[in-house]
Amino acid sequence: MESKNLQSGETSPNSIIAKKTLLALRGIPGSGKTTLAKTLSLSNGAPIFSIDSYFENELGEYTFEFQKNHIAYKECESKTKEALEEGIPFVIVDNTFTLDWELKPYERLANEFGYLFFVVTVENRHGGKNIHQIPEEQIEKMKAKYRVIL
């Protein structure tokens, strides 16, 4: 992998500038966000924060409670903020982020703590299944609202 030396304009594989990064993985349920997050974390030890984590017990069993969804959002955001405050170099947030406003708090946090902010949309090209029993009609509604900024 080559990078450009910002001072001299030269390209050198040894001139990569390390920068703290907040990575937001987004996609509809079943797209593979969690699998990708775990794969990335295995390679670099990055913590993963997700709204889904709030609804999992110690055994990893998932029980969604809609009336607590706002608490799960706040907890995910709070844990992400703590990681950025600690200066952890690479942090992953794994949520559906189907609406732009859901990404805004993370973009603000990245700016506040001097992190690069990347948003990666995970596509379901592998035939993944939604493991959270979200009805297909709800997933179709999520797809209809989903916007990608290029």
Side-chain angles (χ1 to χ4, degrees), residues 36-118:
L36 178 57
K38 288 177 181 177
T39 300
L40 292 171
S41 179
L42 280 173
S43 69
N44 63 21
I48 303 167
F49 302 106
S50 174
I51 291 168
D52 286 346
S53 299
Y54 182 85
F55 299 105
E56 290 179 353
N57 65 20
E58 316 76 50
L59 302 173
E61 299 165 330
Y62 181 85
T63 306
F64 180 72
E65 298 177 54
F66 181 76
Q67 65 277 16
K68 293 184 178 180
N69 207 30
H70 67 286
I71 299 169
Y73 271 91
K74 281 296 178 195
E75 182 180 275
C76 182
E77 186 180 328
S78 175
K79 287 182 174 183
T80 301
K81 181 179 182 182
E82 289 172 16
L84 301 188
E85 285 174 333
E86 290 177 30
I88 295 173
F90 193 80
V91 177
I92 302 168
V93 181
D94 154 25
N95 291 322
T96 55
F97 293 121
T98 53
L99 301 172
D100 195 48
W101 68 264
E102 295 169 318
L103 286 163
K104 292 298 180 194
Y106 298 95
E107 186 174 13
R108 279 192 300 273
L109 286 172
N111 288 331
E112 180 180 344
F113 293 99
Y115 279 68
L116 292 173
F117 182 58
F118 291 100

Side-chain angles (χ1 to χ4, degrees), residues 127-144:
K129 301 293 179 209
N130 157 32
I131 61 168
H132 299 308
Q133 290 77 47
I134 297 172
E136 191 60 36
E137 72 178 40
Q138 182 63 30
I139 291 175
E140 290 303 317
K141 286 179 184 178
M142 294 170 92
K143 287 179 184 179

Side-chain angles (χ1 to χ4, degrees), residues 11-26:
T11 301
S12 164
N14 297 323
S15 64
I16 296 172
I17 298 171
K19 189 93 160 112
K20 297 180 294 185
T21 301
L22 175 58
L23 174 65
L25 298 177
R26 68 187 294 241

